[in-house]
Amino acid sequence: MTARVSGAWDRLGITAKLWLVFGVLFTMFSLAGAAACVGLLVMRGAENNIQDNMEIRAKILEMEGKLEKSRRLYRDYLLLGPELDFEAARERFCQPALAEAARLIAVCEDLRRLIAAAPPGSAIARRNVDLTLFTSTARRYSLVLLNETGLYARLYNPGDGQLPRLAGLTDQLGDALQGSSDATLLLREMDILEKRYEITRQRPFMQSALNKAAALKRLVAADKTVAPSRQADVLGLLDAYAGLADKVLETVKDMQTNVHDFWLQSRAVDPIAEELKQLSASEVARARTRSVWAGRLAAGILVATALLGLACLAVAARLLHASITSKIETMTRHAEAVRAGHLDVFLQNGSSDELGVLAGAFNAMTARLKEMVDTLEDKVRLRTRELAEKNSELDAKNQELATLSLTDRLTGLCNRRKLDHALEAEIRRAKRYGSVFSVIMVDLDHFKDINDAYGHATGDLVLVRTADVLVGHTRETDLVGRWGGEEFLIVCPETDLRQTTVLAEHLRRELGLVWGTDAVAVTASFGLAVYSGDTHPSSLLARADAALYRAKQAGRNRVAAAPDMQEASDPEGGDAPGGV
């Protein structure tokens, strides 16, 4: 088995061997990476589950808190409401309780959405029916509070409440029964029983008050000393009292029914909230346990895969050295011998892979080198002649490059480098022979607006046509070049200020004629400067640029000349020459 594997390995080419080795290594490390990714995904899912359950737990606690606050407000409303003013009790207890019930409903809906987003298999996801009970309880609270507010208003409202009206009937009976001691005594007992009922809300006190009212009615009906009209009034008041007292009892009974319903709902939802808290805590614990186990499993797989990968790497390195590296070293030694001039070496390699082919090619190359030694001088002379021809071609290319380095690519004019050389040569000639020369700085007006309005292609066309006009209307001895951007510079040898001014005006008019019929309106401003002992081209160019600036300031499309250096430095010489 080992021999067959070794033979199959030897028959493989170098590329196949490398692909096989690196394929195994890639598979091992891919498995390690996949295991790490799976572990990270499981851990991230567990962390997200923990975060979701913590948020669910927070919502449950918030829901429980709002439920408890709503209960407390309702309880205080029932206990302390009768002691306060009607509006004060409603503002202090009823309205906050309704607001808390509304917030509780909103929290329940948020919790419902969180639980709906939980994994379907989790225990807490199956408690949606309990949240429905919570929501219905909160809505029931709102209905109970609203109903209680209506009953409370019916009972205690200062304007038309049943108890204030009952007290008013008692006062009217007191006024009507003045002078009758027995009737007044019964009325006082009836009033005391009524007040005790208002305090205790115990039905027997109100029933006793009604019994006293019935006894008072019989006493008034049997009293023959009372005038019939007065007797009818008192009996009517007692009938109204009895009817209103019955309504008070019905109202209080409805209020007690609301209270009973309220506390039944509260006792029903308390265990559910506790169970939801326990479920969320258990889900957090389960998620943490899952995260820990996933981390351990991923770490174990990574360690095992790394060790196995290192073992595979060691085996692959040994195999590659035996079948590739050692043979390359042998070939390197033979190549060094050939380079030293030993052409009789012969490389032995019986393998059929690329190195075997390379060894055969090496032996053939050595034989070929040995054959070529005899004719080496002829070949050297041939290569020398070919090299001379190549050098000639290279010189021509260098001259062409030199020309290109001094020429502007767009306009074909000389560039700034050539202009600098020309200015330095003119200054040296003027210093040596006392001759004069001038420069003209030309700048196209509003060139940026042309580029912005018509595009850079039109701008390039304007530059090319301007260069043609400048070259076509200057002397052969004048040097026209592109200074940069939309600026041009003309060097005029043996030309004074008057001649330069005439030339600049002529060029300005020609530019106007060229562009006068086109859609693009192009004008230029000209700045002139005559050599007057300038030691460096920058001084002459600065004066020309200053004149150009004055032409721009004066409205553009005009010619301005710079003063010579003596006039510019004379403080009493007046203004320098301006535009022409």
Side-chain angles (χ1 to χ4, degrees):
M1 181 67 181
T2 305
R4 287 199 300 269
V5 173
S6 178
W9 173 262
D10 291 336
R11 286 192 297 272
L12 291 175
I14 293 177
T15 304
K17 291 176 181 177
L18 292 176
W19 273 109
L20 179 60
V21 170
F22 288 110
V24 172
L25 294 177
F26 178 78
T27 302
M28 299 302 299
F29 288 111
S30 296
L31 290 175
C37 290
V38 171
L40 288 175
L41 289 175
V42 173
M43 293 175 65
R44 178 171 295 180
E47 291 174 358
N48 292 335
N49 195 5
I50 291 172
Q51 183 176 359
D52 293 340
N53 280 281
M54 293 298 291
E55 188 173 358
I56 289 173
R57 184 177 178 84
K59 287 293 182 182
I60 292 171
L61 293 175
E62 183 181 2
M63 182 175 64
E64 193 176 24
K66 291 188 178 299
L67 183 61
E68 181 60 29
K69 187 174 181 180
S70 179
R71 292 175 186 168
R72 187 172 62 252
L73 289 169
Y74 183 53
R75 181 197 60 199
D76 294 341
Y77 182 56
L78 294 177
L79 295 177
L80 303 178
E83 300 177 5
L84 300 174
D85 180 69
F86 174 72
E87 292 295 334
R90 185 168 62 179
E91 183 177 354
R92 182 175 176 182
F93 300 113
C94 183
Q95 292 178 356
L98 289 172
E100 288 299 324
R103 295 190 192 99
L104 177 60
I105 293 173
V107 173
C108 288
E109 293 299 328
D110 292 340
L111 185 58
R112 186 193 303 276
R113 286 192 293 271
L114 290 175
I115 292 179
S122 61
I124 198 168
R126 297 192 295 268
R127 303 302 298 174
N128 196 23
V129 63
D130 298 330
L131 291 180
T132 303
L133 182 57
F134 260 105
T135 306
S136 63
T137 300
R139 292 194 175 97
R140 180 63 181 167
Y141 281 169
S142 300
L143 294 176
V144 168
L145 288 171
L146 290 173
N147 192 16
E148 192 72 16
T149 302
L151 294 174
Y152 190 86
R154 187 192 304 173
L155 195 63
Y156 290 103
N157 191 10
D160 55 355
Q162 292 172 350
L163 289 177
R165 286 164 55 197
L166 199 63
L169 290 175
T170 302
D171 293 338
Q172 293 179 21
L173 286 170
D175 294 338
L177 295 174
Q178 288 181 0
S180 176
S181 58
D182 294 337
T184 303
L185 180 60
L186 286 174
L187 180 61
R188 185 171 300 172
E189 291 176 356
M190 185 176 65
D191 185 45
I192 292 172
L193 290 170
E194 177 192 334
K195 295 296 189 293
R196 292 183 68 182
Y197 174 76
E198 291 183 13
I199 296 172
T200 61
R201 295 288 180 87
Q202 295 182 4
R203 188 181 183 89
F205 290 114
M206 181 57 76
Q207 193 63 47
S208 299
L210 287 173
N211 293 335
K212 295 292 183 182
L216 180 58
K217 183 177 181 180
R218 289 192 298 271
L219 179 62
V220 172
D223 190 357
K224 303 298 184 181
T225 61
V226 181
S229 59
R230 182 181 176 190
Q231 190 179 37
D233 293 339
V234 172
L235 292 176
L237 289 173
L238 286 172
D239 290 337
Y241 182 88
L244 190 57
D246 289 335
K247 292 180 180 179
V248 169
L249 290 174
E250 292 176 2
T251 302
V252 172
K253 181 181 178 181
D254 293 338
M255 293 177 70
Q256 290 174 349
T257 301
N258 282 336
V259 172
H260 182 69
D261 188 17
F262 185 89
W263 294 114
L264 282 179
Q265 292 282 343
S266 299
R267 284 195 297 271
V269 298
D270 285 342
I272 297 172
E274 188 63 31
E275 183 182 1
L276 286 175
K277 287 191 290 185
Q278 293 177 359
L279 286 174
S280 63
S282 66
E283 287 294 325
V284 170
R286 285 175 55 194
R288 286 176 177 168
T289 303
R290 188 165 63 252
S291 176
V292 170
W293 279 107
R296 292 176 180 175
L297 181 61
I301 294 175
L302 281 174
V303 172
T305 310
L307 293 176
L308 185 58
L310 289 176
C312 293
L313 184 61
V315 173
R318 184 173 180 179
L319 290 174
L320 291 176
H321 175 72
S323 58
I324 298 176
T325 310
S326 60
K327 295 179 180 179
I328 292 176
E329 291 175 352
T330 302
M331 294 178 66
T332 302
R333 289 194 298 270
H334 282 73
E336 290 290 338
V338 171
R339 188 177 66 175
H342 304 288
L343 301 179
D344 296 330
V345 297
F346 185 77
L347 188 62
Q348 298 289 339
N349 191 335
S351 62
S352 59
D353 58 7
E354 289 88 345
L355 289 177
V357 176
L358 184 61
F362 182 83
N363 293 331
M365 181 186 66
T366 305
R368 178 64 176 164
L369 287 175
K370 190 173 181 180
E371 182 183 352
M372 291 174 61
V373 167
D374 298 333
T375 58
L376 182 61
E377 292 181 357
D378 294 337
K379 292 184 179 295
V380 169
R381 283 194 296 272
L382 177 63
R383 294 290 181 262
T384 302
R385 186 168 58 253
E386 292 176 354
L387 182 61
E389 293 175 357
K390 295 295 182 182
N391 287 334
S392 177
E393 293 177 2
L394 183 61
D395 290 338
K397 295 294 184 182
N398 288 333
Q399 291 178 359
E400 183 179 354
L401 289 175
T403 302
L404 291 175
S405 68
L406 298 176
T407 305
D408 179 63
R409 183 184 297 272
L410 177 65
T411 60
L413 302 176
C414 59
N415 59 14
R416 187 165 183 165
R417 181 180 179 184
K418 186 173 181 180
L419 289 171
D420 287 335
H421 294 334
L423 286 172
E424 291 175 356
E426 288 296 330
I427 288 178
R428 288 194 299 270
R429 190 166 63 86
K431 288 180 180 180
R432 181 176 181 86
Y433 301 106
S435 60
V436 65
F437 72 98
S438 303
V439 295
I440 304 175
M441 186 76 74
V442 184
D443 184 76
L444 297 179
D445 298 329
H446 302 295
F447 184 74
K448 183 178 182 302
D449 295 340
I450 296 174
N451 277 332
D452 292 341
Y454 303 98
H456 288 280
T458 302
D460 292 344
L461 178 62
V462 168
L463 293 175
V464 171
R465 293 182 65 179
T466 301
D468 294 339
V469 170
L470 296 179
V471 172
H473 294 84
T474 53
R475 301 170 300 179
E476 293 182 355
T477 56
D478 297 335
L479 182 62
V480 181
R482 185 179 179 188
W483 188 246
E486 66 273 19
E487 290 187 345
F488 298 84
L489 183 68
I490 305 173
V491 181
C492 305
E494 301 295 332
T495 306
D496 57 14
L497 180 59
R498 183 187 62 78
Q499 295 170 333
T500 305
T501 302
V502 172
L503 176 59
E505 284 289 347
H506 177 67
L507 292 175
R508 185 182 67 81
R509 288 192 300 271
E510 289 297 327
L511 281 175
L513 293 175
V514 169
W515 295 102
T517 59
D518 291 343
V520 182
V522 180
T523 61
S525 300
F526 295 75
L528 317 180
V530 180
Y531 171 77
S532 59
D534 303 86
T535 60
H536 195 270
S538 60
S539 173
L540 179 63
L541 293 173
R543 292 193 292 115
D545 191 66
L548 177 62
Y549 180 77
R550 290 207 314 276
K552 293 282 187 181
Q553 291 293 319
R556 293 183 172 83
N557 192 19
R558 61 188 62 225
V559 177
D564 58 24
M565 295 184 63
Q566 290 79 8
E567 290 176 350
S569 60
D570 185 5
E572 298 178 358
D575 295 335
V580 177

mmCIF file of all heavy atoms in Angstrom, residues 24 40 136 142 291 307 334 358 361 377 384 395 411 430 474 480 498 567 570 576:
data_model
loop_
_atom_site.group_PDB
_atom_site.id
_atom_site.type_symbol
_atom_site.label_atom_id
_atom_site.label_comp_id
_atom_site.label_asym_id
_atom_site.label_seq_id
_atom_site.Cartn_x
_atom_site.Cartn_y
_atom_site.Cartn_z
ATOM 1 N N VAL A 24 -5.045 20.034 0.955
ATOM 2 C CA VAL A 24 -5.252 19.421 2.274
ATOM 3 C C VAL A 24 -5.165 20.456 3.374
ATOM 4 O O VAL A 24 -6.005 20.509 4.295
ATOM 5 C CB VAL A 24 -4.234 18.281 2.473
ATOM 6 C CG1 VAL A 24 -4.293 17.755 3.905
ATOM 7 C CG2 VAL A 24 -4.500 17.144 1.494
ATOM 8 N N LEU A 40 -18.889 31.191 16.866
ATOM 9 C CA LEU A 40 -19.180 32.617 17.039
ATOM 10 C C LEU A 40 -20.657 32.913 16.791
ATOM 11 O O LEU A 40 -21.267 33.724 17.503
ATOM 12 C CB LEU A 40 -18.313 33.443 16.095
ATOM 13 C CG LEU A 40 -16.828 33.520 16.445
ATOM 14 C CD1 LEU A 40 -16.060 34.262 15.361
ATOM 15 C CD2 LEU A 40 -16.620 34.215 17.800
ATOM 16 N N SER A 136 -55.959 43.015 28.638
ATOM 17 C CA SER A 136 -57.391 43.146 28.954
ATOM 18 C C SER A 136 -57.600 43.666 30.370
ATOM 19 O O SER A 136 -58.526 44.435 30.640
ATOM 20 C CB SER A 136 -58.072 41.787 28.789
ATOM 21 O OG SER A 136 -57.542 40.847 29.712
ATOM 22 N N SER A 142 -59.072 50.710 33.005
ATOM 23 C CA SER A 142 -59.520 51.996 32.464
ATOM 24 C C SER A 142 -61.039 52.100 32.505
ATOM 25 O O SER A 142 -61.599 53.130 32.913
ATOM 26 C CB SER A 142 -59.032 52.137 31.021
ATOM 27 O OG SER A 142 -57.634 52.085 30.969
ATOM 28 N N SER A 291 -24.057 29.474 25.413
ATOM 29 C CA SER A 291 -22.912 30.263 24.944
ATOM 30 C C SER A 291 -21.595 29.671 25.454
ATOM 31 O O SER A 291 -20.612 29.571 24.714
ATOM 32 C CB SER A 291 -23.064 31.717 25.409
ATOM 33 O OG SER A 291 -21.940 32.469 25.063
ATOM 34 N N LEU A 307 -3.698 21.311 15.540
ATOM 35 C CA LEU A 307 -2.685 20.262 15.724
ATOM 36 C C LEU A 307 -2.611 19.353 14.503
ATOM 37 O O LEU A 307 -1.519 19.013 14.022
ATOM 38 C CB LEU A 307 -3.014 19.455 16.984
ATOM 39 C CG LEU A 307 -2.882 20.215 18.312
ATOM 40 C CD1 LEU A 307 -3.319 19.326 19.461
ATOM 41 C CD2 LEU A 307 -1.461 20.707 18.518
ATOM 42 N N HIS A 334 24.844 22.419 -10.051
ATOM 43 C CA HIS A 334 25.306 22.207 -11.423
ATOM 44 C C HIS A 334 25.290 23.510 -12.221
ATOM 45 O O HIS A 334 26.166 23.750 -13.062
ATOM 46 C CB HIS A 334 24.421 21.158 -12.104
ATOM 47 C CG HIS A 334 24.743 19.748 -11.702
ATOM 48 N ND1 HIS A 334 24.423 19.247 -10.463
ATOM 49 C CD2 HIS A 334 25.383 18.729 -12.379
ATOM 50 C CE1 HIS A 334 24.817 17.983 -10.380
ATOM 51 N NE2 HIS A 334 25.409 17.636 -11.531
ATOM 52 N N LEU A 358 13.053 19.648 -16.707
ATOM 53 C CA LEU A 358 14.011 20.746 -16.574
ATOM 54 C C LEU A 358 15.451 20.237 -16.591
ATOM 55 O O LEU A 358 16.342 20.876 -17.160
ATOM 56 C CB LEU A 358 13.724 21.512 -15.280
ATOM 57 C CG LEU A 358 14.563 22.758 -15.034
ATOM 58 C CD1 LEU A 358 14.345 23.777 -16.151
ATOM 59 C CD2 LEU A 358 14.207 23.382 -13.682
ATOM 60 N N ALA A 361 16.334 19.591 -20.130
ATOM 61 C CA ALA A 361 16.586 20.859 -20.810
ATOM 62 C C ALA A 361 17.913 21.452 -20.384
ATOM 63 O O ALA A 361 18.631 22.071 -21.197
ATOM 64 C CB ALA A 361 15.441 21.825 -20.501
ATOM 65 N N GLU A 377 32.815 34.762 -31.094
ATOM 66 C CA GLU A 377 33.322 36.064 -31.544
ATOM 67 C C GLU A 377 32.464 36.645 -32.666
ATOM 68 O O GLU A 377 32.206 37.854 -32.692
ATOM 69 C CB GLU A 377 34.774 35.916 -32.017
ATOM 70 C CG GLU A 377 35.753 35.597 -30.890
ATOM 71 C CD GLU A 377 37.192 35.480 -31.391
ATOM 72 O OE1 GLU A 377 37.393 35.602 -32.629
ATOM 73 O OE2 GLU A 377 38.073 35.283 -30.558
ATOM 74 N N THR A 384 27.401 43.588 -31.479
ATOM 75 C CA THR A 384 27.966 44.937 -31.346
ATOM 76 C C THR A 384 27.396 45.860 -32.415
ATOM 77 O O THR A 384 27.054 47.020 -32.150
ATOM 78 C CB THR A 384 29.498 44.877 -31.442
ATOM 79 O OG1 THR A 384 30.003 44.003 -30.427
ATOM 80 C CG2 THR A 384 30.101 46.263 -31.269
ATOM 81 N N ASP A 395 19.542 57.661 -29.789
ATOM 82 C CA ASP A 395 19.904 59.086 -29.861
ATOM 83 C C ASP A 395 18.797 59.888 -30.530
ATOM 84 O O ASP A 395 18.472 61.018 -30.121
ATOM 85 C CB ASP A 395 21.222 59.241 -30.627
ATOM 86 C CG ASP A 395 22.408 58.701 -29.844
ATOM 87 O OD1 ASP A 395 22.285 58.615 -28.591
ATOM 88 O OD2 ASP A 395 23.430 58.370 -30.466
ATOM 89 N N THR A 411 -0.682 73.472 -27.476
ATOM 90 C CA THR A 411 -0.620 74.549 -28.472
ATOM 91 C C THR A 411 0.528 74.392 -29.453
ATOM 92 O O THR A 411 0.533 75.030 -30.512
ATOM 93 C CB THR A 411 -0.481 75.895 -27.758
ATOM 94 O OG1 THR A 411 0.727 75.889 -26.982
ATOM 95 C CG2 THR A 411 -1.673 76.109 -26.820
ATOM 96 N N ALA A 430 21.962 91.214 -23.639
ATOM 97 C CA ALA A 430 21.756 92.657 -23.424
ATOM 98 C C ALA A 430 22.840 93.232 -22.530
ATOM 99 O O ALA A 430 23.316 94.363 -22.756
ATOM 100 C CB ALA A 430 20.369 92.879 -22.815
ATOM 101 N N THR A 474 3.522 87.654 -35.320
ATOM 102 C CA THR A 474 4.794 88.115 -34.727
ATOM 103 C C THR A 474 5.925 87.801 -35.695
ATOM 104 O O THR A 474 5.770 87.049 -36.666
ATOM 105 C CB THR A 474 5.043 87.407 -33.376
ATOM 106 O OG1 THR A 474 4.949 85.978 -33.568
ATOM 107 C CG2 THR A 474 4.028 87.826 -32.330
ATOM 108 N N VAL A 480 7.336 82.975 -29.111
ATOM 109 C CA VAL A 480 6.002 82.910 -28.499
ATOM 110 C C VAL A 480 5.899 81.587 -27.730
ATOM 111 O O VAL A 480 6.192 80.520 -28.282
ATOM 112 C CB VAL A 480 4.890 82.999 -29.551
ATOM 113 C CG1 VAL A 480 3.515 82.952 -28.877
ATOM 114 C CG2 VAL A 480 5.058 84.265 -30.376
ATOM 115 N N ARG A 498 8.065 101.416 -27.765
ATOM 116 C CA ARG A 498 7.118 101.871 -28.771
ATOM 117 C C ARG A 498 6.787 100.728 -29.722
ATOM 118 O O ARG A 498 5.616 100.460 -30.034
ATOM 119 C CB ARG A 498 7.711 103.061 -29.546
ATOM 120 C CG ARG A 498 6.744 103.654 -30.586
ATOM 121 C CD ARG A 498 7.460 104.708 -31.424
ATOM 122 N NE ARG A 498 8.572 104.132 -32.165
ATOM 123 C CZ ARG A 498 8.420 103.417 -33.299
ATOM 124 N NH1 ARG A 498 7.234 103.210 -33.809
ATOM 125 N NH2 ARG A 498 9.493 102.925 -33.913
ATOM 126 N N GLU A 567 12.574 104.451 -13.356
ATOM 127 C CA GLU A 567 11.361 105.221 -13.098
ATOM 128 C C GLU A 567 10.553 104.621 -11.966
ATOM 129 O O GLU A 567 9.951 105.337 -11.162
ATOM 130 C CB GLU A 567 10.509 105.272 -14.374
ATOM 131 C CG GLU A 567 11.125 106.117 -15.467
ATOM 132 C CD GLU A 567 10.294 106.045 -16.738
ATOM 133 O OE1 GLU A 567 9.384 105.190 -16.768
ATOM 134 O OE2 GLU A 567 10.532 106.820 -17.645
ATOM 135 N N ASP A 570 12.104 105.759 -8.675
ATOM 136 C CA ASP A 570 12.215 107.199 -8.422
ATOM 137 C C ASP A 570 10.970 107.672 -7.684
ATOM 138 O O ASP A 570 9.881 107.660 -8.240
ATOM 139 C CB ASP A 570 12.362 107.932 -9.764
ATOM 140 C CG ASP A 570 12.607 109.414 -9.526
ATOM 141 O OD1 ASP A 570 12.743 109.814 -8.343
ATOM 142 O OD2 ASP A 570 12.643 110.154 -10.524
ATOM 143 N N ALA A 576 3.924 105.876 -13.006
ATOM 144 C CA ALA A 576 4.516 105.093 -14.090
ATOM 145 C C ALA A 576 3.593 105.144 -15.296
ATOM 146 O O ALA A 576 2.413 105.412 -15.170
ATOM 147 C CB ALA A 576 4.738 103.647 -13.634
#
